[in-house]
Amino acid sequence: MNGKAKRNTHQITTLAMAVGLAGAVTLALFLIGRNVTPDYAAGLFGQHLTDAVRLKARLATVILGLAVVQLVLALWMYRRLPGTASGSTVPAAVPRTHRVIGALAFLGTLPITAHCIQTYGVELTPVRAAIHSLSACFFYGAFAAKVVFVRSRRLAGWMLPLAGGTLVVTVVVVWYTSALWFFDGFNVPGF
């Protein structure tokens, strides 16, 4: 097998592994959430009921902000940010900051998700709750896929940006169907 065929085989294997892992993580969270007996009185950092929802909305908004910063840093690293030339040098702090902020954003999702699963499980009605639940489960699957892509050294150039972009879009959808819903008086445009 020549070098190009080996590389193609590696890329296909990595892609299949990432998609399989994403599907498995998403499905596992979905099944866990569907089999939880909701506890509507569950608390989050000492907050309960509407106060817990308010706290989650605020935390989700911080995570949305971090996702936007992640997008800007990624565009900078890949020299796609307006004003960055293709031959320009990216400061060493940019990739490091991207990793740190990504880790903080991911860690910030964990208490929110734990509370959502414990309090509501995975809801499939109404439509807003279904989109929120399914996209939140998918977020962790997409994150797992991105980790696989980050660890692989011989990827097609589009794989890692696609995984990162998918995460940003998923964060926006989760925020739109939860935090915006709360901030807009339990109403969301389009639902």
Side-chain angles (χ1 to χ4, degrees):
M1 190 181 298
N2 66 25
K4 186 175 180 178
K6 263 186 172 176
R7 184 175 155 194
N8 288 342
T9 301
H10 175 75
Q11 288 178 358
I12 291 167
T13 302
T14 302
L15 181 59
M17 187 169 61
V19 168
L21 182 60
V25 169
T26 301
L27 180 62
L29 285 173
F30 174 80
L31 293 174
I32 290 167
R34 289 301 292 166
N35 289 295
V36 163
T37 301
D39 177 7
Y40 299 111
L44 176 66
F45 300 124
Q47 303 297 309
H48 298 276
L49 304 170
T50 303
D51 291 335
V53 176
R54 180 179 296 108
L55 177 58
K56 288 192 305 185
R58 289 176 177 160
L59 290 171
T61 301
V62 169
I63 291 166
L64 176 66
L66 292 174
V68 170
V69 171
Q70 284 293 89
L71 177 62
V72 170
L73 290 171
L75 290 171
W76 191 357
M77 285 190 305
Y78 285 97
R79 293 168 185 85
R80 299 286 190 256
L81 193 63
T84 57
S86 62
S88 65
T89 303
V90 175
V94 172
R96 194 175 17 241
T97 303
H98 182 76
R99 283 189 299 276
V100 169
I101 290 175
L104 290 173
F106 178 79
L107 291 172
T109 68
L110 296 177
I112 298 169
T113 301
H115 182 265
C116 284
I117 288 175
Q118 180 183 10
T119 306
Y120 309 106
V122 169
E123 296 181 337
L124 298 178
T125 57
V127 172
R128 181 210 57 85
I131 292 171
H132 176 73
S133 292
L134 296 174
S135 60
C137 291
F138 178 73
F139 169 81
Y140 290 98
F143 184 84
K146 185 173 187 265
V147 169
V148 169
F149 292 148
V150 165
R151 297 290 175 220
S152 180
R153 298 288 178 222
R154 295 175 291 175
L155 289 177
W158 56 268
M159 287 183 185
L160 188 56
L162 177 65
T166 300
L167 280 173
V168 171
V169 169
T170 305
V171 167
V172 170
V173 170
V174 171
W175 180 86
Y176 186 87
T177 56
S178 60
L180 181 61
W181 169 79
F182 176 78
F183 294 139
D184 197 30
F186 302 103
N187 185 33
V188 142
F191 291 99

